[in-house]
Every structure is written in structure tokens, then in C-alpha cells.
Amino acid sequence: MTAVLTRPPAAPRRRDRPIRLRGHAELPLPLALVVAGASGLVLSFAFPSASIWVLAFVGVGGVLLALRGRSFWTGVLTGFAFGVVFWFSLIDWVTLFLGPVPLLALGTLESLFVALGGGLLALVHRSAGRLWPTAAGRLVLTPLLLAATWTTREVVAGNWPYGGFNWSAVAFTQATSPFAYLTAWFGTSGLSFVLVWLTALGVALATEPRGIGVLRLQSALPRLLAATVVVGALLLIPAFPLTVSGAMRIAAVQPNTHAGYFDPEFDPATNLETTVQATVPALGKSVDLVVWPEGAAMYDPTTDTGLQQQLDVVTQAVGAPLLTGAITEREGRTYNSSLLWTENRITALYYKVRPVPFGEYVPDRAFWTPFAPDLLKLIGRDYTPGTRSSVMEVGRVRIGVNICFDVVDDGLILGSVARGAQVLVAQTNNADFGDTDENQQQLAIARLRAIETGRSLVSDSTVASTTAIGPDGRTLAAVQPFTTQTLVVDVPLATGITPAVSFGVPLGATIALLGGVLPLMLSFLARRPRRRR
């Protein structure tokens, strides 16, 4: 009798076991979760107030390494571990007046976006490794795909739901780094793509077991040399050339009042009186424009004759138009507004286009109120989104007006410059966040926007940090946080349109589309059985 030898059936693959890509060792899931969480904490320190920008590469690189070899669902879990630690560290300032509920809600929502992004990044690692199991695939194609997928998550979370919350873009860590000027060429989404690509390439070079072409990477020196060449090539890209023609003298008033929406000591009359008195240092300075922060003129200068008289007194004493934040009503709707008061009348009026959900209005109030009734009742008025242009004319100069979190909106900022704005003014009221990292994070975003658009930007706050920034991102002048001061500064008027203004939004949308579609397509292709030759 002849024995028949048969191969025993293969043991089923455990779901939580990382998939080994050729030549790479993947982290066990428990260790991957620890590395991902630690990477989220490290990345948060790249943002202000720590502002250790180089840690952005460490944080992103750590989570990319933790996601290597994971399945989609374990990638989601790994991404969630990263997202929870990152977001709860980044925006802990929301708890100052309202307690932990807003942090739990916003932090968890944003962490879920990061989790889904982690699943897609895991698909890229897994699928690209199967489709292109070569050094060229690992060092060229995979880093590009990972960067596009990461950028997709940033763009989606920055726009949805309810307008999104674009606060965590990797690009925003680089406001004072040598890479900051690249945003004028690529925009903020494009800069995020470049930074993640550079990081993914660095991780690939550090873990690549083989050579690519004639280059052998078995030792550390050639790998370091390759990374240095790439970084050097990026830093050799020249700053976008700007032409400065003239200047505008702006007086930005920081009243340092109890102006917080949720501050029990807030009083509109006291806030206005303090702001008027804080404007006195602008007298006799031959300024072209006086700027008051968000919400300085409450309530409604479009109808309140007493308030209008006070605005007249200020403009006549200073001899310049006044740009003030205000709360206005029209046809039964309330708007967070910025108005230009010139010669006894309103000559321009902007309504904030994207009020902050759950801060300035409650979307779908009837649905959400049962989840946190006491908290949402504190938001007594719902601001209506505006449709007016944010570009105003002050004499012969066009200014682009932004109210508070407008500064994170690519379309608003870039669109105002595309419509002719020569100077950007960002009015904000961050009194609700006190002496936390929020005001410094917002100022860092404003600084990057100045570089991106090639325009001077004056950030005027109720409490901190009122600063004038040049078109190259340098600080022209600033006042001390939480002091009553008026900043009088000549800001350069730059001309020319940066590539970011022309192409930044469509470039970001294209990257986001590719980063969303390609992982799914690659996953499908990687599952198809290969033909035997």
C-alpha cells in the first residue's frame, strides 16, 4: 500500500496579527498602540505653546511606523489611540469655562476622523507592499500615497461636519520653521502633504533592508545622505518673491476686558468703555485705520444711536476709519460682524461666513440638546452664516477681514487675497480661553497665513496676543498678552499673487480626492489573485 502524503491545512490568520511586508518587521498590536499614543503626545508638542516644530516629524513618523502591517480595523484602533492622546492634549483649553464635556465631545469626534485615517493609512501600507514589493515601491510610491492619505483626513475633518474644525493640520506646526515659506508655493494642505511625505520617506529609508538601483543602503551613512539630499532640495526652493509698494499705519487696540462669551463678569457697556479708553494712544499718530477686536461694539451699531455716537467720537478724535467687531441683527437674524465706520456711517459690513458650531450656534439644536441640555442652553443666540464679501476698501487700500476662527479656513483667507486684499486683519475674542495655548496656536496659524498669502496680517485680540506680522512671517510689532495697549505699526503693502492663492485650494482638494480613492482602489487590486506565469 502506498502512503498518500497530504499537506496539512494552513492555520487561519489571526486578525490581530500584523501582516508582514517583505523585509519589514511590524510592531505587535499592544506595542503599536503604545507607540501611537506616545506619537500623538509628541506631535502635540510640535504645536504652540511648546512649538518644538521638529517633533512634528517624530510624531508623524511614530504613528506611521505603528500602522505598518496592520489590517484596516487594527489600523483604525491604532489611529484612535494616536488621535485621542493628540487631540486631548492639543485642545485642553476648551475646558477653561465649560468643563470637560466640550473636550470629550470635540476630542472624541476628531479622534474618530483620525481613526478612520489610520485605517486608510494601514490599507496603503498593506496594499502597496503587496502590489510593489520592491525598494522603489517602498521608497517612492508608498511615501507619496501615505502623504496623500494623511492630507485627505486633514481636509475632510477641516470641512465636515458643520464646516469642520481645521485646527490640527501638520502644516500649522511649522510657522517658525525653515519649511514655513513653502506654504506660499503649496498652501497649507500642500505643506502638510510635503511634511508627511518627507517623514514617510525618512521612515522608509531608516527601515529599508535593501538598496535601490545602484545605491546601497545597508549602512546608516548612505541613508542619512539620501535624506539630507531630499531635505536640502526642499530648503533650496527660493522664497516666493514679493514686491512691497507702500505701507499702511494701523492702530490695533487690545482692551484686555472680561469679553468672554461665557464669562460671568462680562458687561457690554464696560467692555466698550474700556476699548474706547484703550484707543487714546492712537491720537495724533496719523494712523490710516483703527482696529478693535471681535465683538467690541455690542450691541447693534446698525441701530443703536448712542453706540453710533461713540464710534463717531473715536473716528473724529483719531482722524481715521474704525474697523470694529460687532453683534448685529438683520431681519430677525443675528450675525457675528465686522463693520467699517467712516464719516458718521457704516461704509462696509462683513458677516462671519462660518460661525463656530457649538460655540456660536448650535446646529440641529433639537437633536443635540438632550445630550447636554445645561451646556447648550448657555449658547443663547445662534449666529447666522454670512454671505457678504470680506474685502473692504479703506481709502485706496483693500483689506481682507477675518473674524476669529476664520483664520483656519483656506477658502476665506486665500479668497480675500484673490479678490484684491492687500492687508489681512484678523479680529478675535479669545477671552474665553484665558492664558492657555489657544491664543498662541491661533497666532501661529495667522503667521503661516501671512506667509501663504504674501500679505501683512494684523491679529487684534481682546486679551492676547495682538501682533502685526509681515508678509514674510516676521513679527513687526506685538503687545504683551493680558495688558491694555494699542499697537501702532506700519505694515508693508505687498503686491503679487502667490501660487498658494492661485492654486492652493484646488491642489488641496486634488490631493484629498486622490488620498481618499487610491487606498480603496489599491486594496481592491491587492486582493485580486495574481496570475501564474
Side-chain angles (χ1 to χ4, degrees):
M1 180 179 295
T2 304
V4 179
L5 299 178
T6 60
R7 178 178 297 176
R13 184 194 303 270
R14 287 179 55 187
R15 290 282 184 180
D16 61 345
R17 181 176 298 166
I19 300 165
R20 181 175 294 276
L21 303 180
R22 183 173 300 179
H24 286 143
E26 290 74 43
L27 303 178
L29 181 58
L31 180 57
L33 295 177
V34 172
V35 170
S39 298
L41 182 62
V42 168
L43 180 58
S44 71
F45 283 114
F47 289 81
S49 61
S51 299
I52 310 173
W53 59 265
V54 71
L55 290 183
F57 300 98
V58 180
V60 173
V63 72
L64 291 180
L65 188 63
L67 288 166
R68 177 177 283 176
R70 307 250 69 87
S71 67
F72 174 79
W73 289 112
T74 56
V76 167
L77 182 60
T78 305
F80 187 71
F82 169 79
V84 165
V85 177
F86 169 68
W87 273 104
F88 280 66
S89 301
L90 182 69
I91 59 168
D92 60 344
W93 38 262
V94 304
T95 65
L96 185 63
F97 272 99
L98 299 178
V101 174
L103 177 61
L104 289 171
L106 181 58
T108 301
L109 174 64
E110 296 299 331
S111 298
L112 290 174
F113 278 112
V114 177
L116 291 175
L120 291 178
L121 289 168
L123 284 183
V124 170
H125 268 307
R126 179 179 182 179
S127 304
R130 289 179 172 178
L131 292 173
W132 303 294
T134 62
R138 291 187 291 271
L139 295 175
V140 179
L141 295 175
T142 301
L144 291 171
L145 291 168
L146 290 171
T149 304
W150 184 290
T151 307
T152 297
R153 193 267 307 164
E154 288 189 352
V155 171
V156 172
N159 290 276
W160 185 87
Y162 304 124
F165 186 56
N166 186 23
W167 199 260
S168 68
V170 175
F172 293 154
T173 65
Q174 303 296 303
T176 57
S177 88
F179 296 97
Y181 74 96
L182 293 176
T183 193
W185 292 98
F186 306 124
T188 53
S189 294
L191 180 58
S192 285
F193 173 86
V194 170
L195 296 171
V196 177
W197 167 74
L198 190 60
T199 305
L201 177 61
V203 172
L205 284 170
T207 57
E208 173 58 38
R210 300 183 177 184
I212 175 170
V214 297
L215 179 63
R216 308 306 299 175
L217 301 175
Q218 277 76 10
S219 64
L221 183 60
R223 297 168 191 256
L224 182 61
L225 179 60
T228 302
V229 168
V230 174
V231 172
L234 285 173
L235 295 179
L236 284 176
I237 297 176
F240 184 79
L242 296 171
T243 301
V244 175
S245 56
M248 183 180 196
R249 178 166 294 180
I250 294 178
V253 179
Q254 179 177 284
N256 191 35
T257 57
H258 290 279
Y261 183 78
F262 301 105
D263 190 336
E265 298 185 38
F266 171 67
D267 176 64
T270 302
N271 181 58
L272 177 63
E273 181 181 355
T274 304
T275 305
V276 171
Q277 293 300 318
T279 311
V280 171
L283 300 178
K285 297 295 180 64
S286 300
V287 301
D288 300 308
L289 176 68
V290 176
V291 179
W292 285 358
E294 177 186 13
M298 298 185 188
Y299 290 93
D300 192 351
T302 63
T303 57
D304 188 330
T305 55
L307 181 52
Q308 292 173 359
Q309 291 173 359
Q310 288 182 291
L311 299 183
D312 278 340
V313 170
V314 171
T315 55
Q316 290 173 9
V318 179
L322 169 64
L323 179 70
T324 178
I327 308 302
T328 62
E329 291 188 359
R330 181 183 180 187
E331 299 177 351
R333 297 180 177 180
T334 305
Y335 297 91
N336 189 352
S337 310
S338 180
L339 61 88
L340 185 66
W341 188 268
T342 310
E343 298 177 352
N344 307 319
R345 64 189 179 92
I346 296 173
T347 55
L349 182 60
Y350 165 65
Y351 299 142
K352 189 174 183 180
V353 173
R354 286 173 57 169
V356 179
F358 304 102
E360 295 178 317
Y361 78 107
V362 180
D364 301 320
R365 185 181 283 268
F367 175 80
W368 292 111
T369 296
F371 293 94
D374 294 336
L375 184 63
L376 295 183
K377 284 179 182 177
L378 294 175
I379 306 174
R381 58 175 179 260
D382 288 330
Y383 290 127
T384 302
T387 56
R388 291 173 175 260
S389 171
S390 62
V391 179
M392 303 179 181
E393 291 190 5
V394 181
R396 297 182 178 181
V397 178
R398 287 190 170 188
I399 63 172
V401 179
N402 306 276
I403 301 176
C404 201
F405 285 1
D406 276 353
V407 75
V408 304
D409 189 305
D410 291 352
L412 289 175
I413 295 288
L414 302 181
S416 65
V417 176
R419 291 190 298 273
Q422 299 165 271
V423 176
L424 298 176
V425 176
Q427 298 164 291
T428 183
N429 176 11
N430 39 27
D432 275 326
F433 307 114
D435 188 14
T436 66
D437 291 345
E438 187 277 340
N439 68 78
Q440 295 184 53
Q441 291 172 4
Q442 187 172 339
L443 182 62
I445 296 172
R447 188 180 306 279
L448 203 64
R449 293 301 191 186
I451 300 171
E452 179 182 29
T453 58
R455 294 294 184 268
S456 298
L457 187 150
V458 176
S459 178
D460 186 27
S461 169
T462 51
V463 292
S465 302
T466 298
T467 304
I469 304 167
D472 58 357
R474 293 183 299 109
T475 297
L476 302 176
V479 302
Q480 289 296 318
F482 303 100
T483 60
T484 301
Q485 294 188 59
T486 291
L487 177 69
V488 179
V489 59
D490 293 322
V491 296
L493 300 178
T495 59
I497 299 297
T498 66
V501 171
S502 298
F503 309 111
V505 172
L507 176 62
T510 301
I511 294 173
L513 179 62
L514 292 174
V517 172
L518 288 179
L520 302 178
M521 184 181 299
L522 294 177
S523 178
F524 171 76
L525 294 175
R527 291 175 180 271
R528 295 176 62 185
R530 297 183 179 180
R531 295 181 180 179
R532 295 184 177 179
R533 295 183 179 180

